[in-house]
Amino acid sequence: MPAAPHRHTLLLDELVQAIRAGRYAAGARLPTHRAFARQHGVALATASKVYRELERRGLVVGETGRGTFVREWQADAERHALTERRLEAAMPSPAPIDLAFNYPDTPNAGALLDAALQALRQLGQMPRLMEPQAVGGGLPERVAVARHLAEVGVAVPAEQVLLVGGAQQGLACAVMALLQPGDVVVVDELTYPGFTSLAQTQALELQPLRWTDAGPDLDHLARVLQQRPVKLVFTMPTLHNPTGWVMDLASRERLVTLARAHKVWLLEDASYAFLASAAPPPLAALAPERTVYVSSLSKSVGGGVRLGYVALPAQLVARCERTLRAIAWSQPTLMSALGAHWLDTGCVRRLEQDKRSAARAKQQLALRCLAGLKLQSHPDSFFVWVRLPEAVRAEPLTMRLAELGIAVTPSSAFAVAVSYPHAIRLNLGAASLEVLACALPVVRDTIEAMELA
C-alpha cells in the first residue's frame, strides 16, 4: 500500500492549484510563514518548506521585509495572448509616426540591393544562388562572417559560425539545442519581448534579474545561481533593449566568473552592439567556451535582410546544426551571398558608421526635445527609455499618444517580473530628424499634461 503524502506536499499542491486557478492574483501577498502555520495547524518549518518550494517553482517571490508575493502566472491561452500582444508591440505600427518599430532606416536601400545583385551576376554566381546550401550556410559565407566577428573581438573559426534566418532564429536554435522544458533561465527584469515569447513556447521558467541604476544586480544573480538550478543567462550587454544601457568591463568579467563557477551557459544577444563605438569586449571574447553569440545584419543593413549568425563553442556546433536542420533545413543561398558580398566589400562597415552617426544626431535632438523628463539612453543608441512621473501610467499614455498619431512601446511589453517601472521606449531609428522634431515635443507635452491631470 503506498504511503500517504506528507502534510507539506498536500498543502503545496493546494497552493499551486489555487495560484494556477487564479484564486491568488498576481502580486497578491500570501500569509506570513507563521500565519500560514497557525492557519493549517503545522509547524513553522513545514510552512517554510512549502513557501520555499513555491519559490523554487517560480510561482512566488519572497521580498525581505515585505513578505511573499504571487508572481505573474497565466493559463496557456492567456499566456499565448500575452505573447501575441508583446510581439505586436515590436511590429510596425499603422500610426503616422512610428516610434515603436525598432529597425533603423537604410537610405538608398534599393540602390544598395541593385548594386549587390549586379556584382554577383558579374562574378557568375547567379546559377549557384538557386541551389541549396549546407544547413549552417556555405563555407565562403561563413568565412566572411567569421572575419566580421574578428573585427568586433569574437575570434572563432568559420566552422564555429552558423548562418541563420535572422537573430530571432539564432536565439531559437540556441534555446532548443541547450535547454529542456522547465529549465530555469535568468533574464533581465526588462528584456527583449522576442526572447520572452520564445521562452514561453519552449515552456522555460524565466527568473527575472533585478536592476539597479548601474545595470543588472550581479549580487542578486549570485544569490539566484546559488539557490536555483539555472541553466542559462540571456543577456544584452551592449546596447540593451529597451534601455540602451552598456555593461562595463568589470561587470562583464564578474558575470563570466559567475557563469564559469556555476557552469551556466551565456546567451549573448548582440543585435544592436554594432552601434556602440567604444564598448568593452563581448562576453564571447571573455568566455568563448561558455558563450553563444547571436547577431544579424537586419539592423545594420535592413530589416528585410533576414541573415543572422551564431558563434558557438566547438562542442555545441553539431548539436546546434541538428536543431537548425529541424527548424530550417537550409538557409536561403541568395541572402547568404548578398550578406557575404556586403561584408567583404566593406559595405556593412560603412552602413554601421552611417547609422552610428544618425543615432548620435537623433539622441542629441531627443535630449533637447525631452528636456525635463527622466531619460535613460546611450549616445550611440536608437532607443530612449523614458521613466514616467509617479502619476502617469504607461498604458494610458501609450493609448493617448496613439490617438495623437504617435506609436510608442510601454514598459509592460518588456516586463518579466510582476512589478515593473512605468516607462515607455521611444525608438528613433525609423523616423527622420524632421519627423522627430515634431513628434518628441508632443510626447513630452502629453506626459506633462497627464501628470497635471
Side-chain angles (χ1 to χ4, degrees):
M1 184 175 181
H6 290 291
R7 177 69 168 145
H8 86 272
T9 302
L10 296 173
L11 291 173
L12 176 65
D13 289 343
E14 290 177 7
L15 269 178
V16 168
Q17 292 172 13
I19 290 172
R20 289 183 171 172
R23 293 196 292 275
Y24 287 100
R29 182 163 58 184
L30 296 182
T32 65
H33 292 212
R34 291 186 182 278
F36 183 86
R38 286 196 301 270
Q39 180 181 347
H40 295 279
V42 297
L44 178 60
T46 300
S48 297
K49 189 173 183 179
V50 170
Y51 278 39
R52 280 197 304 272
E53 180 61 22
L54 287 174
E55 189 162 7
R56 189 192 70 79
R57 296 188 186 189
L59 295 175
V60 302
V61 58
E63 298 184 11
T64 304
R66 296 190 63 224
T68 302
F69 297 84
V70 176
R71 293 181 58 191
E72 183 178 7
W73 189 95
Q74 286 112 344
D76 285 344
E78 294 173 331
R79 186 168 68 243
H80 291 311
L82 175 62
T83 297
E84 291 302 317
R85 290 197 297 273
R86 285 175 170 167
L87 287 176
E88 287 169 3
M91 295 303 290
S93 167
I97 300 178
D98 193 344
L99 304 185
F101 193 43
N102 61 352
Y103 280 100
D105 180 49
T106 301
N108 303 315
L112 181 72
L113 179 58
D114 284 342
L117 289 171
Q118 183 177 350
L120 293 176
R121 185 180 298 111
Q122 291 174 349
L123 292 171
Q125 293 196 23
M126 301 307 282
R128 184 178 72 86
L129 303 183
M130 294 296 290
E131 299 173 358
Q133 61 178 341
V135 63
L139 185 58
E141 289 77 17
R142 292 161 81 172
V143 168
V145 171
R147 282 197 295 263
H148 177 66
L149 287 169
E151 293 175 359
V152 299
V154 181
V156 292
E159 292 76 14
Q160 288 173 227
V161 174
L162 300 182
L163 303 187
V164 291
Q168 184 68 20
Q169 188 179 83
L171 295 175
C173 177
V175 163
M176 295 173 68
L178 296 177
L179 302 172
Q180 299 293 325
D183 281 347
V184 179
V185 176
V186 171
V187 297
D188 299 321
E189 61 183 2
L190 295 166
T191 196
Y192 168 50
F195 187 81
T196 304
S197 62
L198 174 61
Q200 289 171 344
T201 61
Q202 297 300 306
L204 303 176
E205 180 186 336
L206 295 182
Q207 169 66 53
L209 176 62
R210 287 201 298 265
W211 268 49
T212 68
D213 291 339
D217 185 345
L218 296 183
D219 290 335
H220 179 226
L221 176 61
R223 292 192 296 272
V224 168
L225 293 176
Q226 289 175 346
Q227 298 167 3
R228 307 293 315 280
V230 175
K231 296 293 181 66
L232 181 143
V233 176
F234 172 69
T235 181
M236 296 168 281
T238 305
L239 292 185
H240 174 268
N241 182 9
T243 65
W245 176 85
V246 175
M247 183 184 287
D248 61 35
L249 179 58
S251 297
R252 293 177 192 232
E253 290 174 338
R254 187 177 180 202
L255 175 56
V256 163
T257 298
L258 289 170
R260 284 172 168 155
H262 294 275
K263 296 181 171 57
V264 169
W265 294 110
L266 297 172
L267 180 51
E268 181 174 11
D269 184 346
S271 295
Y272 295 96
F274 73 92
L275 288 167
S277 56
L283 300 178
L286 300 175
E289 83 288 355
R290 299 223 63 82
T291 306
V292 176
Y293 181 96
V294 178
S295 191
S296 78
L297 299 185
S298 299
K299 304 296 189 297
S300 58
V301 178
V305 180
R306 305 310 301 162
L307 179 63
Y309 42 89
V310 183
L312 297 156
Q315 69 270 30
L316 295 182
V317 172
R319 193 191 312 181
C320 286
E321 283 183 335
R322 288 194 298 271
T323 301
L324 190 56
R325 185 176 292 109
I327 61 177
W329 188 256
S330 176
Q331 298 304 318
T333 308
L334 172 59
M335 194 60 68
S336 299
L338 287 170
H341 171 77
W342 285 323
L343 288 167
D344 288 339
T345 58
C347 178
V348 171
R349 286 192 297 275
R350 291 192 296 273
L351 287 172
E352 289 176 347
Q353 181 57 52
D354 290 346
K355 293 193 176 185
R356 278 193 290 270
S357 299
R360 290 168 189 159
K362 291 179 178 182
Q363 284 287 344
Q364 291 168 8
L365 175 64
L367 291 177
R368 294 195 298 271
C369 292
L370 301 174
L373 299 178
K374 188 174 182 181
L375 308 178
Q376 181 176 347
S377 63
H378 187 278
D380 292 338
S381 173
F382 282 111
F383 296 149
V384 177
W385 185 246
V386 184
R387 292 185 176 271
L388 301 177
E390 185 64 31
V392 181
R393 305 287 87 179
E395 284 74 14
L397 171 63
T398 301
M399 295 174 63
R400 176 58 184 147
L401 288 171
E403 292 171 356
L404 296 172
I406 300 173
V408 302
T409 309
S411 50
S412 57
F414 308 98
V416 178
V418 174
S419 59
Y420 51 87
H422 278 270
I424 56 172
R425 188 198 70 180
L426 306 179
N427 179 61
L428 312 179
S432 67
L433 285 169
E434 292 75 17
V435 168
L436 291 173
C438 295
L440 294 176
V442 175
V443 173
R444 181 200 60 215
D445 293 346
T446 304
I447 292 172
E448 292 175 349
M450 292 183 71
E451 182 181 20
L452 291 174

